[in-house]
Amino acid sequence: MDFINYLKDNPDFFLLSIFLFSLLVGSFLNVVIYRLPIMLKKEWRSDCVNFLSDEFKADKQDYQFPAKATDKEEKFNLSVPRSRCPACGHKITALENIPLISWLFLRGKCSSCGSTISIRYPVIELSSGLLSVLVAYYFGIQWFTLAALVLTWSLIALTMIDFDTQLLPDNITLPLLWLGILANLLQLSDISLEQSIIGAILGYMSLWILYQLFKLATGKEGMGFGDFKLLAVLGAWLGWQALPLILLLSALVGAIVGISLTLFFGRDKNIPIPFGPYLASAGYISLLWGEPIKQFYFTIAGL
């Protein structure tokens, strides 16, 4: 209690602590963003090989499958192997892995071979720190702040994974869905359990229905099932009342970005654009400023 009171009496220290800790989280998010899709693809490949090889053996068909996974393969998860330079294989030391500082000190280059280290790594770390400070500043010192930070970090990871691979892993979205319901069950926010559950249901079903109608009309898949689950997550956290604003903001930003990429950067309009980043951005905006935005709209609309 003394520490909590100290944080309340020293809000600048509280925000600084959140910023520094979130930089560390951002460094971990870089690992998740890069490794989780690879882990999933390895798992899917192993499952397919094991399943299909057994099927062909049962049917007595002669087909040469890739070798099954063995214990001798190098383990690959979020903790091993150690991070290394993709160009020369140099293992990143602890001093070379300090968020922001190491990248600046190394001038964005590998200490061993001099290859360029992408600027996206410090950008993700800095974004994690700044977005987390906004959450902490807005909600203050309460339990929901911790929950909202977890949501923020997860949205950052989902945004970048979807941007890179057009995947929204169930490993993140499903636990996040239940965590949102749990947070509202424990009354950490003003959202009731009923609003949370209805939000999850409507979030999923609204996009699922749009998906089915679009597929029926065009024969194409307009979005992935991960998008349904992500909107269900946001509905579970923010309640069903937030869904119209989230959909409006995500569609608006998505349309602006999509048109801009086509007109100014020559992007092929047939190349799909991931919708997850826009949903995540709209969800974060609604988390912090959803009510002021709705009140502003009702004011100018005269409602």
Side-chain angles (χ1 to χ4, degrees):
M1 291 297 296
D2 291 339
F3 181 68
I4 298 298
N5 291 331
Y6 178 81
L7 292 177
K8 291 180 178 179
D9 294 336
N10 297 272
D12 292 339
F13 177 77
F14 169 63
L15 295 178
L16 178 61
S17 300
I18 293 294
F19 178 73
L20 294 178
F21 180 75
S22 297
L23 289 180
L24 296 175
V25 173
S27 181
F28 175 70
L29 292 181
N30 278 319
V31 176
V32 173
I33 292 164
Y34 173 73
R35 296 194 181 197
L36 184 56
I38 297 176
M39 291 165 55
L40 291 175
K41 290 176 182 178
K42 284 178 176 286
E43 180 181 346
W44 297 336
R45 177 184 179 277
S46 177
D47 290 343
C48 289
V49 169
N50 293 337
F51 175 76
L52 291 177
S53 62
D54 292 339
E55 286 288 306
F56 272 70
K57 286 180 180 178
D59 294 337
K60 297 182 179 180
Q61 298 185 40
D62 185 18
Y63 187 86
Q64 186 64 39
F65 279 89
K68 293 185 179 182
T70 65
D71 294 336
K72 293 183 180 180
E73 289 186 14
E74 183 182 26
K75 289 184 178 181
F76 189 89
N77 52 43
L78 297 181
S79 58
V80 294
R82 280 176 53 185
S83 298
R84 61 189 67 180
C85 172
C88 68
H90 166 68
K91 293 183 179 179
I92 307 301
T93 66
L95 290 177
E96 295 171 339
N97 205 28
I98 302 173
L100 289 182
I101 296 175
S102 293
W103 190 88
L104 293 173
F105 182 77
L106 294 171
R107 298 181 181 180
K109 296 181 179 180
C110 172
S111 62
S112 178
C113 67
S115 298
T116 300
I117 302 173
S118 175
I119 195 174
R120 67 177 282 172
Y121 297 115
V123 167
I124 289 173
E125 292 165 354
L126 183 59
S127 298
S128 177
L130 294 177
L131 294 178
S132 298
V133 166
L134 284 176
V135 168
Y137 177 79
Y138 187 86
F139 291 109
I141 301 175
Q142 57 171 310
W143 284 111
F144 185 73
T145 301
L146 178 59
L149 288 174
V150 173
L151 174 62
T152 300
W153 300 330
S154 300
L155 291 178
I156 293 172
L158 289 169
T159 293
M160 298 308 302
I161 291 174
D162 197 27
F163 180 80
D164 290 341
T165 65
Q166 295 188 11
L167 294 173
L168 290 168
D170 289 349
N171 309 56
I172 299 177
T173 55
L174 295 185
L176 203 58
L177 171 67
W178 294 113
L179 184 59
I181 293 176
L182 177 62
N184 291 316
L185 172 64
L186 298 176
Q187 299 181 340
L188 300 184
S189 72
D190 295 331
I191 306 301
S192 69
L193 180 61
E194 181 182 73
Q195 293 170 338
S196 178
I197 294 176
I198 294 175
I201 295 172
L202 290 181
Y204 188 93
M205 292 303 298
S206 59
L207 289 187
W208 182 84
I209 292 172
L210 288 176
Y211 165 86
Q212 296 296 342
L213 292 175
F214 183 83
K215 187 176 181 180
L216 184 64
T218 65
K220 300 179 181 179
E221 297 182 355
M223 62 185 69
F225 278 61
D227 297 320
F228 315 161
K229 298 170 189 174
L230 179 54
L231 188 57
V233 166
L234 298 176
W237 278 83
L238 305 178
W240 64 267
Q241 298 93 331
L243 293 177
L245 177 62
I246 293 172
L247 286 172
L248 178 62
L249 288 174
S250 58
L252 179 62
V253 175
I256 293 174
V257 172
I259 293 173
S260 300
L261 289 175
T262 301
L263 293 180
F264 302 112
F265 297 95
R267 181 187 177 94
D268 188 346
K269 63 181 180 180
N270 294 319
I271 298 177
I273 298 176
F275 192 48
Y278 308 122
L279 282 175
S281 300
Y284 179 82
I285 293 172
S286 298
L287 172 69
L288 297 185
W289 303 293
E291 285 302 318
I293 291 174
K294 286 189 287 186
Q295 291 176 8
F296 174 76
Y297 172 77
F298 291 146
T299 299
I300 63 174
L303 299 177

